[in-house]
Amino acid sequence: MGFNYGSALRVHNVRLIDGVSATVVDDAVLEADADGEITYAGPAARAPEARSDVRTIDGQGGTLLPGLFDCHTHLGVASDRSLVETALLTDPVLGVLQTTVRLSRTLESGITSARDLGGLPAGFRDAVASGLIAGPRLQTSVGVISHTGGHADGTLPSGRNLDLDYCELADDVTGVRTAARRMLRAGADLIKICTSGGISSAHDDPDDQDLLDEEIAAVVDEARRHRGRPVAAHAQGRAGILAAIRGGVRSVEHGYGIDDEGCDLIGERGAFLVPTLSTVFQALDPKKTTPWRYQKKLRWNERTKTNIAEAIARKVNIAVGTDAGITPHGENPFELWCLVELGMSPMDALRAATSNSARLLGLEDKLGTLRPGYAADLVLCTGDPLRDITVLSAPENIAMVVQQGVIRKLTLPDSGSSAAGRNSFHAGSRL
Ligand SMILES: [Zn+2]
């Protein structure tokens, strides 16, 4: 029962979108070998002959895509409770188990790779990589660096401190280097800094610059000299965005206040914008938040829509991220609808969430594309996301999720196995 390790996989009767080209193959076949590497992806008419010893899935006319990426998650942070409640009232063992559930829900929503930008210890990455738990392939920054009173300062308006162990405060060049080294010591794949204030932090504003120019440059240098690790910047307002790109970060997170200058600089430097629009389009309930936060959000939401729509029109280099933790976990592909809503074509949104996000994570040689030689990380959705991008938003429309040729979720009949219908990770034999 469970998974079909070490056997090849064939998916037929699907519409294929490869994550790179603009061409759709209407009647396609994909085959992967026993190592989970794609050996064929293209028209059924030219496909190798079907074999009885290959596990075969009839895609029932759905759409086969590369596994999707979320380049901005907080998988260690509950999305259904306040940060205060999570930090102070959650038993740490329960907290770990809740994180594992978030990881598997995220995977089942179609996210086969994720980059976590604060609050996810490196052990979760290693647990997924070793097959101990189910989840997206992970890169994690482990923590977040900002200055005292900045976006990552967990001091509450009461003066009490949440004492979040993943937040590092530093106030000079030596301090930020030390903070970056602590992150690397904790196993960070990249460094996350704050170059602007935030909507969710009480005492600063998105228009404030957080770390100073020389501090940003110092972190970028510290990350670079440790195996060329990248830096991601929480940068919401214009000042923080420009400082981040000029300082050499690889990705501008949020970028709500981006203008033409910021767009052009991203292009010149080969950087990425991760606009986390799910935060903007999620319903806003004044009863569930503090008045100052509600007001900030109202003030920024319309500006954000205008600015990001302009950035999309200028063809800025966009990767997909949701800020899940702030937004709900397990509904991550909703972000693609947000991008389309602000003017991106559905095909470009799919490319942003696959091959382009793979490029941001430095995995473009292995992931994000359905072509021979790439890893078989797959998502099969019912319907056609090019006609209606919302089909991806509902997890029940995600009929199959595959990582490296291993089926993680399957809600279609499986002609290669007598096991009926559903086949989720927890029904498998690996836990
Ligand atoms: Zn975030």
Side-chain angles (χ1 to χ4, degrees):
M1 60 176 289
F3 293 97
N4 210 6
Y5 278 97
S7 81
L9 180 70
R10 179 182 173 103
V11 187
H12 68 105
N13 191 15
V14 288
R15 178 185 306 105
L16 185 131
I17 295 172
D18 73 7
V20 176
S21 77
T23 320
V24 180
V25 182
D26 279 324
D27 181 15
V29 164
L30 181 139
E31 282 198 353
D33 64 18
D35 296 325
E37 196 170 276
I38 296 171
T39 52
Y40 179 82
R46 292 210 296 273
E49 225 156 272
R51 299 199 330 253
S52 59
D53 60 335
V54 171
R55 188 174 185 181
T56 301
I57 306 289
D58 179 346
Q60 301 187 356
T63 304
L64 193 65
L65 306 161
L68 303 174
F69 284 66
D70 187 338
C71 301
H72 189 136
T73 62
H74 299 281
L75 284 152
V77 175
S79 56
D80 56 353
R81 278 162 287 154
S82 74
L83 205 54
V84 176
E85 192 182 337
T86 306
L88 301 181
L89 301 178
T90 305
D91 178 278
V93 173
L94 286 179
V96 167
L97 296 172
Q98 287 163 358
T99 296
T100 65
V101 173
R102 277 178 222 126
L103 284 162
S104 69
R105 284 209 187 125
T106 302
L107 177 62
E108 290 183 6
S109 78
I111 305 295
T112 54
S113 304
R115 187 181 64 150
D116 199 273
L117 293 185
L120 190 74
F124 287 98
R125 170 197 63 207
D126 299 344
V128 169
S130 67
L132 187 61
I133 57 172
R137 301 163 185 269
L138 290 166
Q139 291 184 0
T140 178
S141 72
V142 182
V144 184
I145 303 169
S146 87
H147 68 48
T148 300
H151 183 59
D153 189 336
T155 309
L156 300 167
S158 64
R160 288 172 197 257
N161 197 309
L162 285 178
D163 209 14
L164 299 169
D165 56 4
Y166 58 89
C167 290
E168 283 270 354
L169 303 184
D171 294 290
D172 58 22
V173 165
T174 306
V176 294
R177 278 197 190 268
T178 308
R181 289 171 189 173
R182 287 204 187 100
M183 296 298 175
L184 295 168
R185 182 176 67 186
D189 299 291
L190 75 157
I191 305 295
K192 163 88 173 287
I193 57 174
C194 300
T195 64
S196 83
I199 288 170
S200 60
S201 36
H203 294 298
D204 64 9
D205 189 88
D207 278 325
D208 300 344
Q209 184 173 337
D210 193 304
L211 295 189
L212 303 170
D213 295 353
E214 60 266 31
E215 293 165 348
I216 298 167
V219 173
V220 168
D221 179 62
E222 198 61 33
R224 178 197 52 76
R225 67 185 201 83
H226 287 92
R227 280 174 280 163
R229 285 186 174 84
V231 175
H234 161 101
Q236 293 185 340
R238 180 175 182 275
I241 292 167
L242 296 178
I245 311 167
R246 290 194 180 117
V249 309
R250 183 147 171 84
S251 60
V252 169
E253 307 298 316
H254 316 300
Y256 302 149
I258 197 161
D259 61 358
D260 291 353
E261 192 180 359
C263 290
D264 292 347
L265 263 179
I266 283 181
E268 281 167 30
R269 301 292 175 96
F272 290 74
L273 173 64
V274 184
T276 64
L277 295 170
S278 299
T279 61
V280 174
F281 284 95
Q282 71 175 347
L284 196 56
D285 182 352
K287 288 193 223 65
K288 285 192 180 156
T289 187
T290 54
W292 58 263
R293 187 169 174 180
Y294 183 71
Q295 287 307 325
K296 261 193 197 175
K297 197 116 173 64
L298 280 188
R299 206 150 38 81
W300 274 88
N301 273 5
E302 289 315 305
R303 283 165 76 175
T304 301
K305 287 179 188 170
T306 308
N307 294 336
I308 302 296
E310 181 62 27
I312 289 170
R314 289 176 78 91
K315 302 273 181 210
V316 165
N317 188 26
I318 286 179
V320 169
T322 60
D323 218 358
I326 305 297
T327 61
H329 292 285
E331 299 171 18
N332 314 55
F334 172 68
E335 182 72 19
L336 281 84
W337 174 87
C338 302
L339 288 164
V340 170
E341 187 69 9
L342 293 188
M344 191 179 278
S345 75
M347 186 59 104
D348 280 348
L350 290 171
R351 284 193 283 223
T354 56
S355 57
N356 213 40
S357 289
R359 221 156 54 77
L360 169 56
L361 271 59
L363 300 170
E364 70 274 22
D365 293 338
K366 191 182 174 214
L367 293 169
T369 303
L370 300 186
R371 289 186 180 166
Y374 282 78
D377 275 25
L378 314 171
V379 166
L380 176 68
C381 72
T382 57
D384 182 356
L386 295 180
R387 284 172 194 264
D388 178 9
I389 196 76
T390 63
V391 298
L392 292 171
S393 302
E396 58 269 26
N397 294 335
I398 306 297
M400 181 173 74
V401 178
V402 175
Q403 284 175 310
Q404 195 83 41
V406 179
I407 296 177
R408 301 298 195 190
K409 174 187 184 183
L410 182 64
T411 60
L412 296 170
D414 173 1
S415 56
S417 156
S418 58
R422 289 174 190 275
N423 184 3
S424 79
F425 186 88
H426 297 295
S429 55
R430 306 187 67 222
L431 269 178

